[in-house]
């Protein structure tokens, strides 16, 4: 992955996988939770993004098994994905710190 900022769906998927492997539905639920309900990933969007992230070697297939007659795949954060997420998180933190400084908030959190 290049040095560009992560788009929100990618950021949410990688973050959802940072602490444990998950299957698609669980990733979507975690993304909604992480975004505090702002982002609801549709099935097509999620699986399209997962396929792209697999090709970029940011995520990996953790396990495939048949559940109720259907193939169920779980995904895990790949080493390259962990590095990409860490760099993205650091970039976001630096930007937030600068925004806080410029707003003169001195470490106080802004509530929406």
């Amino acid at each position: 992955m290049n040095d560009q900022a992560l788009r929100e769906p990618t950021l949410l998927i990688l973050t959802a996988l940072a602490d444990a492997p998950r299957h698609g539905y669980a990733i979507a639920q975690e993304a909604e939770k992480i975004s505090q309900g702002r982002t609801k990933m549709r099935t097509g969007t999620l699986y399209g993004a997962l396929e792209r992230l697999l090709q970029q070697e940011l995520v990996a297939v953790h396990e495939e098994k048949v559940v109720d007659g259907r193939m169920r795949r779980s995904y895990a954060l790949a080493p390259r994905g962990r590095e990409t997420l860490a760099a993205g998180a650091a970039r976001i933190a630096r930007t937030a710190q600068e925004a806080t400084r410029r707003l003169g908030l001195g470490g106080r959190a802004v509530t929406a």
Side-chain angles (χ1 to χ4, degrees):
M1 183 128 204
N2 57 29
D3 198 36
Q4 289 181 299
L6 294 173
R7 292 185 179 172
E8 188 170 29
T10 300
L11 177 65
L12 291 170
I13 291 169
L14 296 180
T15 301
L17 293 172
D19 61 346
R22 291 185 164 81
H23 56 82
Y25 181 70
I27 294 170
Q29 287 182 311
E30 282 295 304
E32 186 173 347
K33 182 178 167 185
I34 293 163
S35 70
Q36 299 176 334
R38 263 188 357 267
T39 302
K40 295 179 192 318
M41 288 199 177
R42 294 176 189 235
T43 304
T45 301
L46 174 64
Y47 286 102
L50 284 169
E51 189 58 39
R52 178 178 48 80
L53 295 173
L54 280 166
Q55 291 173 0
Q56 294 173 338
E57 299 180 348
L58 298 179
V59 301
V61 174
H62 176 257
E63 182 180 54
E64 288 181 317
K65 62 183 176 180
V66 177
V67 177
D68 296 328
R70 293 176 48 195
M71 181 60 76
R72 187 175 197 178
R73 183 184 268 189
S74 63
Y75 301 87
L77 192 60
R80 186 172 178 195
R82 186 167 295 283
E83 292 169 8
T84 299
L85 180 59
R91 186 179 300 112
I92 291 166
R94 286 189 304 271
T95 302
Q97 183 178 23
E98 182 62 16
T100 299
R101 185 189 70 76
R102 290 179 183 217
L103 288 167
L105 299 173
R108 295 188 312 262
V110 175
T111 56

